[in-house]
């Protein structure tokens, strides 16, 4: 089973904490990233329970103190590896007068927070961070919180959502624009909870996207069904495309149109993917994906597609390494500030596996010859789950094994990855596990 969508899981817990009464969540991703957000919500005064405590199927129950009802956490909030958790919670905390401190693991402490500090400071909140807007960071909300109108220079759902979560606490209308639409799970979930939301292109035919919300609604608990994460489905999906003779069905995969750039790209490359049983769950489109091994050809992936597949470039680069011809992926500046610098991690890692790959500025170029590469390399994962899973998938088809130096990060987004891949017939060997 594909684990629950990470983006939607974070948001379901946060919105549950901002609603009065009971919110129930099924399909929640029980990965480290999301469990950190659950702990943060508890530390801020929400009740968050898994029932049953162990075993399946699990329903998560959240009882929130409501908007403007959160209380000062007694300790530092450690968001682990999660940029989404850190930035969304920073948005929330910027609306509260109390003092809170956010930190994270070595990867998260390297990532830029100035992208949320800048807009959120305009509400009157004060941020004290390490140089360059790095965690740990202290947040104190302003005395008279102000709604915001923010023109974001980047298409980032984390930035957009941080501002919108702050805006939920403010009187009046909060507006965000971004140069092109990033994933809209926050907007969809706000609507699901009854928040007044207006969103869409700023003018007909424009790529610029605008969202406005009306602050201080009274939210009551809702039922949330989290679909499978298309970003996680991407790994077994690409494995099935590459391993000759494969045919798999991935059930219940979220197909939000702002998340499906990888599927579009793979289909352009010649992938045999069928979308069956299309339906809608709690405001999000979902389908079952039937995937058959395919001969792939290199394509050009335009920069305009990046927001809809930003987390999928590492695994696309693996597909490209086995495809025939050149795949050119443009507009990847944001890849450099993910859990690791994924642009150079993929170029360097693929080269080590014998692939003709290079990064040129914000472009990743991978040239394959229609068959899997040599392999026979050890890849430094640098606390990045998607780098770890991408190279394990490449290892399934490479002539010689590929080793990753650390599997622990996989649990942030896909705790059952190794089990699922093993059940599908992969030989993933573990050694020297602590
Ligand atoms: C996410 C947004 C994306 C993505 C991340 C999850 C979210 O980041 O990379 O894994 O849940 O909002 P940006 O939109 O900030 O680039």
């Amino acid at each position: 089973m594909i684990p629950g969508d990470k983006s939607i899981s974070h948001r379901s817990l946060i919105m549950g904490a901002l609603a009065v009464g009971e919110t129930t969540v099924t399909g929640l991703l029980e990965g480290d990233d999301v469990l950190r957000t659950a702990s943060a919500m508890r530390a801020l005064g929400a009740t968050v329970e898994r029932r049953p405590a162990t075993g399946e199927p699990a329903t998560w129950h959240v009882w929130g103190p409501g908007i403007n009802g959160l209380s000062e956490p007694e300790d530092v909030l450690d968001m682990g590896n999660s940029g989404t958790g850190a930035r969304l919670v920073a948005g929330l905390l910027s609306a509260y007068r109390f003092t809170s401190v956010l930190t994270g693991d070595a990867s998260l402490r390297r990532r830029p927070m100035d992208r949320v500090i800048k807009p959120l400071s305009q509400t009157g909140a004060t941020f004290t961070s390490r140089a360059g807007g790095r965690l740990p960071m202290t947040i104190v909300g302003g005395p008279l919180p102000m709604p915001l109108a923010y023109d974001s220079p980047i298409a980032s759902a984390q930035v957009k959502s941080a501002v919108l979560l702050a805006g939920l606490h403010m009187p009046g209308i909060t507006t965000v624009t971004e140069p092109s639409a990033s994933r809209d799970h926050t907007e969809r979930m706000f609507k699901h909870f009854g928040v007044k939301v207006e969103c869409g292109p700023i003018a007909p035919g424009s790529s610029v996207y605008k969202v406005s919300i009306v602050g201080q609604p009274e939210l009551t608990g809702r039922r949330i069904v989290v679909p499978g994460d298309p970003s996680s489905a991407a790994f077994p999906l690409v494995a099935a495309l590459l391993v000759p003779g494969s045919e798999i069905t991935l059930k219940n995969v979220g197909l939000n149109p702002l998340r499906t750039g990888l599927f579009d790209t793979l289909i352009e490359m010649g992938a045999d993917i069928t979308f069956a049983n299309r339906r809608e769950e709690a405001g999000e489109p979902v389908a079952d994906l039937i995937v058959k091994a395919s001969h792939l050809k290199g394509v050009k992936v335009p920069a305009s597609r990046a927001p809809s597949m930003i987390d999928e470039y590492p695994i696309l680069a693996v597909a490209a390494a086995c495809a025939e011809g050149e795949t050119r992926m443009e507009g990847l500046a944001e890849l450099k500030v993910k859990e690791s610098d994924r642009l150079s991690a993929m170029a360097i890692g693929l080269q080590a596996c014998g692939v003709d790959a290079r990064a040129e500025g914000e472009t990743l170029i991978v040239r394959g010859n229609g068959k899997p590469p040599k392999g026979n390399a050890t890849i430094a994962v640098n606390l990045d789950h998607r780098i770890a899973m991408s190279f394990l998938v490449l290892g399934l088809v490479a002539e010689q094994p590929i080793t990753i130096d650390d599997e622990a990060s996989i649990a942030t987004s896909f705790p059952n990855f190794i089990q699922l891949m093993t059940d599908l017939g992969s030989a993933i060997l573990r050694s020297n596990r602590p």
Side-chain angles (χ1 to χ4, degrees):
M1 236 199 22
I2 299 301
D5 188 280
K6 185 150 69 74
S7 296
I8 299 173
S9 295
H10 283 295
R11 286 157 174 83
S12 66
L13 296 171
I14 293 173
M15 289 303 286
L18 295 180
V20 175
E22 185 180 23
T23 290
T24 58
V25 189
T26 52
L28 188 90
L29 166 64
E30 297 182 330
D32 286 354
D33 279 12
V34 174
L35 298 178
R36 298 281 177 164
T37 293
S39 300
M41 293 306 108
R42 285 191 192 105
L44 292 167
T47 302
V48 183
E49 275 178 20
R50 183 194 201 272
R51 291 187 192 161
T54 54
E56 304 290 343
T59 302
W60 285 74
H61 300 253
V62 186
W63 293 268
I67 288 178
N68 284 317
L70 300 181
S71 46
E72 182 173 89
E74 285 178 13
D75 203 348
V76 171
L77 302 174
D78 184 348
M79 304 313 296
N81 190 251
S82 179
T84 306
R87 295 188 178 116
L88 267 54
V89 169
L92 205 61
L93 295 173
S94 70
Y96 287 86
R97 275 302 280 156
F98 55 69
T99 300
S100 43
V101 184
L102 285 181
T103 193
D105 71 5
S107 156
L108 187 55
R109 291 196 309 271
R110 284 192 290 266
R111 298 179 66 186
M113 294 296 142
D114 40 12
R115 54 181 56 201
V116 291
I117 295 174
K118 186 166 172 260
L120 296 172
S121 300
Q122 291 171 28
T123 65
T126 311
F127 292 79
T128 313
S129 64
R130 288 195 305 131
R134 261 59 182 185
L135 298 180
M137 167 166 95
T138 302
I139 307 173
V140 185
L144 278 175
M146 303 279 292
L148 261 182
Y150 183 59
D151 291 325
S152 175
I154 45 175
S156 162
Q158 296 178 357
V159 171
K160 173 174 66 177
S161 304
V163 174
L164 294 178
L165 284 165
L168 217 45
H169 293 74
M170 316 290 177
I173 294 175
T174 290
T175 300
V176 186
T177 68
E178 47 184 357
S180 59
S182 63
R183 64 190 68 190
D184 62 354
H185 302 301
T186 301
E187 294 90 314
R188 286 173 187 256
M189 197 168 291
F190 275 21
K191 286 181 190 163
H192 185 61
F193 273 84
V195 180
K196 283 191 188 137
V197 180
E198 280 180 20
C199 53
I202 200 151
S206 170
S207 70
V208 180
Y209 170 91
K210 177 177 170 183
V211 48
S212 300
I213 60 147
V214 179
Q216 298 189 335
E218 284 192 13
L219 305 183
T220 48
R222 288 285 187 276
R223 182 174 164 267
I224 298 171
V225 182
V226 181
D229 196 325
S231 301
S232 297
F235 297 101
L237 184 148
V238 169
L241 291 175
L242 299 182
V243 176
S246 300
E247 173 168 351
I248 62 170
T249 300
L250 300 166
K251 291 211 161 130
N252 191 34
V253 177
L255 279 190
N256 181 311
L258 294 167
R259 296 284 300 279
T260 50
L262 175 76
F263 304 143
D264 299 339
T265 304
L266 289 170
I267 289 167
E268 274 178 32
M269 293 172 81
D272 186 342
I273 305 173
T274 309
F275 302 90
N277 195 13
R278 284 183 185 265
R279 58 207 185 271
E280 188 145 314
E281 300 267 20
E284 294 277 352
V286 174
D288 301 335
L289 272 51
I290 303 159
V291 188
K292 294 184 190 158
S294 308
H295 182 75
L296 302 179
K297 292 210 164 67
V299 291
K300 183 171 157 194
V301 190
S304 58
R305 205 178 287 164
S308 69
M309 55 176 296
I310 194 65
D311 294 334
E312 280 66 79
Y313 285 99
I315 191 64
L316 175 62
V318 164
C322 305
E324 195 182 322
E326 181 177 284
T327 297
R328 197 181 163 84
M329 296 160 256
E330 296 181 343
L332 305 188
E334 281 296 301
L335 272 202
K336 298 182 185 181
V337 289
K338 292 296 176 189
E339 285 80 333
S340 69
D341 175 350
R342 289 181 176 160
L343 189 51
S344 66
M346 288 316 296
I348 292 168
L350 288 176
Q351 284 161 13
C353 295
V355 179
D356 178 357
R358 64 187 193 281
E360 270 179 16
E362 297 175 0
T363 301
L364 178 61
I365 301 157
V366 179
R367 178 174 283 279
N369 57 11
K371 47 185 186 27
K374 173 170 66 65
N376 190 27
T378 297
I379 305 297
V381 163
N382 283 323
L383 296 175
D384 192 327
H385 53 135
R386 299 200 200 280
I387 299 298
M389 290 186 279
S390 295
F391 280 99
L392 287 178
V393 169
L394 188 59
L396 295 182
V397 288
E399 287 168 20
Q400 294 170 48
I402 294 174
T403 303
I404 57 165
D405 67 346
D406 184 14
E407 70 169 82
S409 63
I410 295 174
T412 61
S413 67
F414 203 154
N416 58 331
F417 174 76
I418 292 184
Q419 187 62 53
L420 183 142
M421 295 305 290
T422 307
D423 292 347
L424 287 173
S426 318
I428 300 178
L429 305 179
R430 287 158 150 163
S431 59
N432 302 327
R433 294 186 69 214

